[in-house]
Amino acid sequence: MQSFKNYTGTMYGGLGQLLYVYAQAKNLEISEKLYKIQNLERFEFHIWRELLDEINEQVDHPALGLDIAQYVQPKHLGIIAYIAQSCDTLGEALTRYYDLHRLIYDGGPLKVDIQGKSLSIRWEVLPIHLTSQITDEIALALLVQFLRLYLNFDDIQLEKINFIQPAPKNTRIYQDFFHAPIKFSQSRVELILPQQVLNASCKNPDSTLQQLLVQQAKDLLNNLPTTTQLDERLQQNILKGLQKNNYQIENIAEQLHMSVRQLQRYLQQQNTTYQERVQEVRLLLATQYLLDPHLSLHEIAILLSYSEQSAFQRAFKLWSGLTPRQWRQAQTKKCK
């Protein structure tokens, strides 16, 4: 039988940071292996398994994955967190995830099916002998915890949670976490929700992207000849449009309740163009994304709606005089 060490799947680097945060919070011994992965963009699945096993040996908790999930933050989930928080609904976020799931975890793609009035979300492909109760429960718990924290998910009742592993001694802790019926020894790891969850809206006021805009875009707006409420709305819509790869001037003008000609005329009065405003927002976002060591240049290019990484690299060098990698390395040196 194949050893899990020979499995080629990889994990997003931010999940290693999540384990580090958890270990610190619980005053655990932090292994050299856990230290080493803190600044990696990705690491191998077998290391994820080994780290979870190491922590499990130190923590007397009947549902370790559920406990770890309570420490999750958007930075631990990377590109999917950025995109999910910029989407208007969960259905929109899931649609975007289909295109990007391998950037988060390239071993077990997410499967979503409509079953009557219910929505089934599950992970497949990963061979059963490579999983454990901890890996399964943390996968579901991270998803549910993220939904609770960053989407309007409080009023949505989960219908059922399925696990493939046998039932542990204490099943009540799972019911208390998920607030749903739990079944063990099932054919697959699965989360079942009411189909109406697809219309659940994001908590935009809590969005990392919205906070970024409020905190950092002010300097950019102050450089304009006159800063108006329209400028702020324009920048917000461009920012969200970039995350959805839907930032064309026709769509942005419609959101501002203007015609394309009216928007172009307004920008012309400020001696700028729509494309220049888009590039300003892209530069603002690029410098923030580059500060996250777990985001690869490919992922950043996607977040900025570039069709190719090379196009992002050329544009960034025109803005800053440095390649994205050089800029990131320079910032890392400053922090040391």
Side-chain angles (χ1 to χ4, degrees):
M1 182 177 290
Q2 179 187 11
S3 165
F4 73 79
K5 286 191 175 183
N6 296 325
Y7 182 60
T8 58
T10 59
M11 307 294 292
Y12 174 65
L15 292 174
Q17 189 179 39
L18 170 62
L19 296 186
Y20 185 84
V21 168
Y22 179 80
Q24 284 187 314
K26 299 295 183 178
N27 295 316
L28 305 181
E29 179 182 347
I30 297 177
S31 68
E32 182 179 355
K33 187 181 303 179
L34 184 52
Y35 271 121
K36 282 184 177 180
I37 66 169
Q38 289 311 298
N39 291 317
L40 297 180
E41 291 179 358
R42 306 192 68 80
F43 59 92
E44 295 177 355
F45 177 82
H46 77 84
I47 295 178
W48 173 249
R49 276 288 312 268
E50 291 167 0
L51 289 172
L52 287 173
D53 290 342
E54 285 179 2
I55 292 175
N56 191 40
E57 290 176 0
Q58 298 185 62
V59 178
D60 183 19
H61 196 286
L64 178 61
L66 308 187
D67 200 34
I68 293 174
Q70 296 186 62
Y71 290 80
V72 69
Q73 299 177 35
K75 64 182 179 181
H76 300 139
L77 302 178
I79 188 172
I80 192 62
Y82 287 112
I83 289 175
Q85 291 182 96
S86 68
C87 291
D88 294 324
T89 65
L90 175 60
E92 186 179 324
L94 286 176
T95 299
R96 291 287 284 134
Y97 186 76
Y98 269 116
D99 299 329
L100 303 169
H101 64 79
R102 292 192 64 192
L103 298 177
I104 312 306
Y105 171 54
D106 68 359
L110 190 71
K111 298 290 184 180
V112 180
D113 290 331
I114 301 295
Q115 300 176 352
K117 295 183 178 180
S118 299
L119 181 72
S120 166
I121 302 178
R122 63 187 185 275
W123 285 265
E124 295 186 346
V125 175
L126 186 63
I128 190 171
H129 67 279
L130 302 182
T131 65
S132 69
Q133 179 60 28
I134 298 175
T135 61
D136 291 344
E137 71 190 30
I138 197 171
L140 286 179
L142 285 174
L143 173 60
V144 170
Q145 189 71 357
F146 180 76
L147 295 177
R148 286 173 175 163
L149 290 174
Y150 304 109
L151 298 178
N152 288 323
F153 205 69
D154 298 335
D155 298 328
I156 297 175
Q157 180 67 41
L158 306 182
E159 294 184 359
K160 188 170 61 173
I161 301 288
N162 291 330
F163 288 107
I164 60 175
Q165 305 292 339
K169 292 181 179 180
N170 185 353
T171 60
R172 181 60 184 268
I173 192 170
Y174 293 89
Q175 293 173 341
D176 290 343
F177 181 90
F178 290 109
H179 304 299
I182 311 293
K183 287 194 174 182
F184 295 89
S185 300
Q186 301 300 299
S187 61
R188 56 196 183 192
V189 180
E190 185 176 32
L191 169 65
I192 299 179
L193 309 133
Q195 189 176 340
Q196 68 190 58
V197 76
L198 292 173
N199 297 320
S201 59
C202 296
K203 293 180 179 177
N204 288 326
D206 295 331
S207 167
T208 297
L209 294 173
Q210 294 296 325
Q211 292 176 12
L212 170 67
L213 185 66
V214 171
Q215 294 171 5
Q216 306 217 14
K218 288 181 179 179
D219 290 339
L220 187 59
L221 291 170
N222 287 338
N223 292 328
L224 298 176
T226 58
T227 300
T228 67
Q229 185 180 31
L230 177 58
D231 291 311
E232 295 183 13
R233 290 171 54 218
L234 173 61
Q235 189 148 309
Q236 287 179 6
N237 282 295
I238 291 175
L239 185 147
K240 290 189 68 176
L242 285 170
Q243 307 312 305
K244 302 176 184 181
N245 195 22
N246 186 23
Y247 62 95
Q248 290 74 20
I249 189 171
E250 293 82 5
N251 297 321
I252 300 300
E254 182 178 355
Q255 292 171 36
L256 296 173
H257 305 291
M258 304 173 69
S259 68
V260 171
R261 181 169 297 182
Q262 285 174 321
L263 178 55
Q264 289 174 329
R265 188 181 302 118
Y266 173 78
L267 293 172
Q268 187 177 21
Q269 291 171 353
Q270 295 185 330
N271 296 316
T272 188
T273 65
Y274 178 73
Q275 188 58 33
E276 287 174 347
R277 293 302 299 274
V278 170
Q279 296 297 70
E280 288 172 349
V281 175
R282 272 176 160 163
L283 175 59
L284 174 69
L285 287 175
T287 55
Q288 293 304 305
Y289 294 146
L290 286 168
L291 294 176
D292 183 344
H294 303 301
L295 282 177
S296 69
L297 298 185
H298 177 56
E299 290 171 322
I300 294 173
I302 290 174
L303 286 168
L304 299 176
S305 288
Y306 283 103
S307 58
E308 296 180 354
Q309 179 181 324
S310 58
F312 162 55
Q313 291 174 318
R314 288 194 299 270
F316 191 87
K317 190 166 186 179
L318 285 175
W319 296 330
S320 67
L322 300 173
T323 66
R325 195 176 304 278
Q326 290 169 336
W327 190 93
R328 172 178 269 174
Q329 291 171 346
Q331 296 304 309
T332 301
K333 290 179 181 178
K334 287 181 182 180
C335 295
K336 290 182 178 180

